[in-house]
Amino acid sequence: MTLRQKQFAVYSTVFLALLLLFFFLHVSTGFTYYSHSHLLAILLGGGTAEENTVVFDFRLVRAVLAVLIGMGLALSGAVFQQLTRNELAGPGLLGVNAGAGLGVMILIFLTPVDQGLPIWSLPIVAVVGALIAAGSIFALAMRKNEAGGTYALVLSGITLTAGIHALQTLLIVLLSPEKFNQVNTWIIGNIAGNTWAHVLILGAVVIVLALILYANRTTLNILTLRDETAIGLGVSLKRSRLGFLILAVILAATCVSIGGSIGFIGLVAPHIARRLIGADCTYVLPLTALIGGWLLVTADWVGRVIIAPDEMLVGIVVALIGAPYFLFILARKRG
């Protein structure tokens, strides 16, 4: 076993243990108190009908979704950072959050208040909006740089994302009070109120796309090299970048559609993983997923206990953690 493999085994064990610990703390937190031993008995099938409803249909759903959303956003951010060779990149770079948010806001704006939305509607609309935004940014970058270079991609992303945010602000003004509250909660980021159907949808997307990304980790590694070197190794830059971008956009947009516009996880998690284990996607991708899942389930747990019995939306907690870390990264790059 090489030194890198030993480091990966140690870090993976540590973050897996942290993930399991805070997952259990998350499930044990709520308005109804259960001792840890009693909670374990409920999880093993020894609870009453009411206890099973509280633990399995509310707490467990929320905890599992927190892990899945954290993993999905983290993996998406890892792909963006690989493609742009920029540790400040994240799902927001290519307009994923903004495009998904605009799509969701348009759907809510057009849907009557008394009419429920089908469970597939938000993920589909979010993915379509994110793909349109990311596709537009990618097309703009192609016009500026024949190889789809990093610099053109970043500048195009910043420009179009700003425009989308302006459209979102305009649309918010036109929303009714009821729809405004719904949109505002979604924009901040909130995992509560979902069901096992959401878990199945998101779980399928995250697991399948994570496996696809890991199966193509060698190509993803090559894309971090100079364009001339990557072309010399037989990689089609445009096709490969576009393919990975589509996977990352679908992954992030699906997470955003269910958990809201949660920021910084896609920035922080892959950055921590690279600082610990290096840039090889063989180790970065699985470690990033573990860190992302742990970060979001911990943030959601903190949001539930910090002002108990009230709750702080998870998007606020993530921002309070992620914004200082973003400034730290920025200061290091300038230093």
Side-chain angles (χ1 to χ4, degrees), residues 45-295:
T48 65
E50 181 181 350
E51 290 171 340
N52 288 335
T53 298
V54 171
V55 173
F56 286 97
D57 293 340
F58 293 100
R59 297 187 185 182
L60 204 57
V61 166
R62 182 168 175 172
V64 173
L65 278 177
V67 173
L68 289 173
I69 292 171
M71 287 183 170
L73 291 175
L75 287 172
S76 178
V79 174
F80 288 139
Q81 290 182 12
Q82 287 287 114
L83 295 181
T84 61
R85 307 167 196 152
N86 188 341
E87 60 184 10
L88 295 177
L93 175 68
L94 294 178
V96 175
N97 287 6
L102 183 60
V104 169
M105 289 177 64
I106 292 174
L107 178 63
I108 293 175
F109 178 77
L110 297 176
T111 303
V113 176
D114 57 349
Q115 180 179 329
L117 293 171
I119 193 171
W120 274 100
S121 60
L122 289 183
I124 290 176
V125 169
V127 169
V128 170
L131 284 174
I132 291 174
S136 301
I137 292 170
F138 193 77
L140 287 172
M142 291 301 98
R143 294 183 61 182
K144 294 180 180 180
N145 188 308
E146 203 59 35
T150 300
Y151 217 57
L153 207 59
V154 172
L155 291 177
S156 300
I158 293 173
T159 302
L160 194 57
T161 299
I164 294 174
H165 283 315
L167 292 176
Q168 287 179 321
T169 303
L170 177 62
L171 194 58
I172 286 177
V173 176
L174 303 176
L175 292 173
S176 64
E178 297 84 358
K179 292 182 178 180
F180 173 80
N181 291 333
Q182 182 180 359
V183 168
N184 191 49
T185 301
W186 183 90
I187 288 176
I188 295 174
N190 183 33
I191 302 173
N194 293 298
T195 66
W196 281 110
H198 294 92
V199 173
L200 292 175
I201 292 171
L202 185 60
V205 172
V206 171
I207 292 172
V208 170
L209 295 189
L211 291 174
I212 293 174
L213 289 174
Y214 191 75
N216 292 276
R217 60 191 182 279
T218 301
T219 302
L220 199 52
N221 280 332
I222 292 175
L223 290 177
T224 62
L225 304 175
R226 294 176 59 87
D227 289 353
E228 297 80 4
T229 305
I231 293 172
L233 292 173
V235 173
S236 173
L237 293 182
K238 287 186 179 180
R239 185 172 62 186
S240 297
R241 283 175 177 159
L242 181 59
F244 282 118
L245 283 173
I246 290 174
L247 292 177
V249 166
I250 294 175
L251 189 57
T254 307
C255 293
V256 165
S257 70
I258 293 176
S261 187
I262 299 171
F264 292 112
I265 294 293
L267 166 73
V268 174
H271 184 266
I272 293 175
R274 285 194 178 86
R275 292 273 292 175
L276 293 175
I277 203 69
D280 188 349
C281 285
T282 302
Y283 308 108
V284 166
L285 292 179
L287 189 59
T288 294
L290 285 175
I291 295 173
W294 165 65
L295 282 175

